[in-house]
Amino acid sequence: MNRSSVTPRVAVVTGSNRGLGLAIGRALARTGDHAVVVTGRSEQDARSAAARLRRDTEVMAHTLDVTDPASVCQLFADVERNYGRLDALVNNAGIAIDWHLRATTIDMEAARATLETNLFGAWRCAQAAIALMRVHDYGRIVNVTSCLGSLERMEADCPAYRISKAALNALTRILAAETEDENIKVNAASPGGGVDTRMTRGTPALSADQAADSLLWLTCCPPDGPTGGFFLGREQLPW
């Protein structure tokens, strides 16, 4: 059933069954302007997350493996069938499996897995999302990146993760350039170091909800808002 007459905006958040992704879904739900599609790698994870958000807005639970092209296609086909539109995509799904490793010795399979999720997974979702966004000439894409992906600040340690986020930043610039004459905004945003999620190392400096609030403005930015930027909060970062 097409619910676009009921819900003015529809948002997909990848990797939203816990942590930062769930917090972003919650922040979007609380705006009152978005139906939220929450995703998890298993149906149980997705349904559990959706149940936690339904008191705030309309929520759809959907399984999603961003490394599987068929899974990505199914998600966006179901969004189109249920809502007839897509207005926002938050590419939050990601992995960090090479902490304290070095580029000179890392196992290439770990590097490949990191890029497959953090770069190609986001790329697949962005392609599918933009196709739907163009139908209504409106779209907002936020690629959740990291300060560790800044070339200006690049150092050793966790090389695959750093490279995947630097590549995601490059993809952000490319997609923004391709859509610059459309009402589609594509930005990269870092939630900040030490966010309290499963990937956190050390004592968290921010709660997931606090970090989500810093990303929400890009997901809902006006037509004169930024595109092709790399942000921490509302501060633009060096590439």
Side-chain angles (χ1 to χ4, degrees), residues 8-225:
R9 300 284 184 227
V10 178
V12 168
V13 184
T14 71
S16 49
N17 59 290
R18 62 175 177 266
L20 180 61
L22 181 62
I24 294 168
R26 184 182 300 114
L28 280 165
R30 287 175 177 170
T31 67
D33 295 329
H34 290 78
V36 181
V37 181
V38 295
T39 66
R41 288 174 64 92
S42 74
E43 182 177 357
Q44 180 179 353
D45 285 345
R47 288 184 179 277
S48 175
R52 298 170 67 178
L53 302 184
R54 283 202 173 98
R55 64 174 178 237
D56 295 310
T57 191
E58 180 180 353
V59 178
M60 173 181 169
H62 206 288
T63 56
L64 175 65
D65 178 355
V66 298
T67 69
D68 180 358
S71 179
V72 172
C73 287
Q74 187 64 61
L75 166 66
F76 288 95
D78 287 347
V79 169
E80 182 177 24
R81 182 172 61 254
N82 280 271
Y83 296 106
R85 65 184 301 137
L86 177 67
D87 303 284
L89 167 68
V90 181
N91 271 319
N92 173 71
I95 61 172
I97 58 175
D98 65 333
W99 296 104
H100 308 307
L101 300 182
R102 297 286 172 154
T104 49
T105 55
I106 187 175
D107 179 82
M108 285 294 101
E109 289 308 310
R112 187 187 304 277
T114 301
L115 289 165
E116 187 62 51
T117 299
N118 295 359
L119 172 62
F120 294 117
W123 198 339
R124 288 187 188 96
C125 291
Q127 284 185 331
I130 289 171
L132 290 179
M133 290 170 176
R134 282 175 166 156
V135 174
H136 294 279
D137 190 32
Y138 179 93
R140 303 291 182 263
I141 297 177
V142 178
N143 293 322
V144 178
T145 185
S146 170
C147 296
L148 298 182
S150 169
L151 291 175
E152 182 169 298
R153 304 177 181 183
M154 194 63 65
E155 299 177 358
D157 190 32
C158 48
Y161 183 78
R162 287 180 183 273
I163 289 168
S164 72
K165 293 303 186 179
L168 182 62
N169 291 349
L171 175 65
T172 299
R173 291 294 297 266
I174 291 167
L175 293 177
E178 288 188 11
T179 58
E180 64 181 347
D181 295 326
E182 305 170 68
N183 189 18
I184 297 174
K185 309 292 185 184
V186 187
N187 291 286
S190 170
V195 177
D196 187 11
T197 72
R198 195 173 69 166
M199 291 193 295
T200 300
R201 295 295 186 272
T203 302
L206 293 174
S207 71
D209 285 329
Q210 288 172 321
D213 284 341
S214 74
L215 303 178
L216 183 63
W217 73 283
L218 288 173
T219 315
C220 306
C221 70
D224 61 352

Side-chain angles (χ1 to χ4, degrees), residues 214 217 231-236:
S214 74
W217 73 283
F231 293 91
L232 174 61
R234 299 198 181 205
E235 175 189 358
Q236 193 149 5

